[in-house]
Each structure stands twice: as structure tokens, then as C-alpha cells.
Amino acid sequence: MRALTILSIFCLIAAYNCQSHDLALGQATYGDVVIYKVNEYKYGFPLMVRKSDIEYPEAGQTNFAYIRAIFIKDNVRDGTGGYPTVSAGGVGQRFVKIKLKSQRGYGFNFTVTIYGRY
Ligand SMILES: *[C@@H]1O[C@H](CO)[C@@H](O)[C@H](O)[C@H]1NC(C)=O
């Protein structure tokens, strides 16, 4: 019984680690357009956590579209990629700040797509 529990916990961890860390917020429907798309990657260095901040609109620019959906695709399929989070703004607003953070010793490779409506 105990072995089975340990085994299933191990399987859960393994499954969790073997997936990419996509983040999908909101829903894009007919009439929404891609207002921003970027591929952001950083190589891993031993013992280091790599970070990136993405801001939309970029500093000094103005965005008139309301954000309808944010898709952050983890291009690292074996689970060693980073983790995305939204730190400010987002769906329903006109700006967003996204933080990308790698696992220690690894890099990341994300494609960020933002859909909006004018
Ligand atoms: C990041 O992922 C994209 C999409 O899979 C790929 O085209 C690109 O070459 C990757 N970049 C790096 C530096 O691995």
C-alpha cells in the first residue's frame, strides 16, 4: 500500500516535470487580433536562475486595444523550461507585465502572443 502511494506520488511529480509550462489567459474570439507577439529565450547557466520581464506596450508606447487573451507557450517540451507569470495588468486591461523565470541551471524559451480588440 505504502509503495503504491509513493509510486503514484512519484508518477505525479514525473508527469508534472515532463510537461511544458504553458499559460493561457482569457479567450480570443472572432474580431480579436494579435497585437503583440514575441519569442523570448535565454540560455541556461549552471546554478543560475534566468529572468525576463516583458512589458506591453513597451515603454514610451501607447496601446489602445483592450487585451482579450494572453497565450504564453513554453517551447521547451521536456519540462526543463521556465515558468511564466503575469505580474500586472492583463485580460480586460490595456497593459500587461509578464515575468519569465527559469529553473535553476536551465534556460527558457517562450512565445508570448497577446490578442486584443480595438
Ligand atoms: C525557441 O523555440 C522556437 C519555437 O520552437 C524555435 O524556433 C527557436 O529556435 C527556439 N530558440 C532557441 C534559442 O532554442
Side-chain angles (χ1 to χ4, degrees), residues 39-43 73-76 108-111:
N39 187 243
E40 180 80 7
Y41 60 83
K42 278 191 174 172
Y43 292 104
K73 189 177 177 299
D74 183 0
N75 294 316
V76 183
F108 58 70
N109 182 349
F110 288 105
T111 304

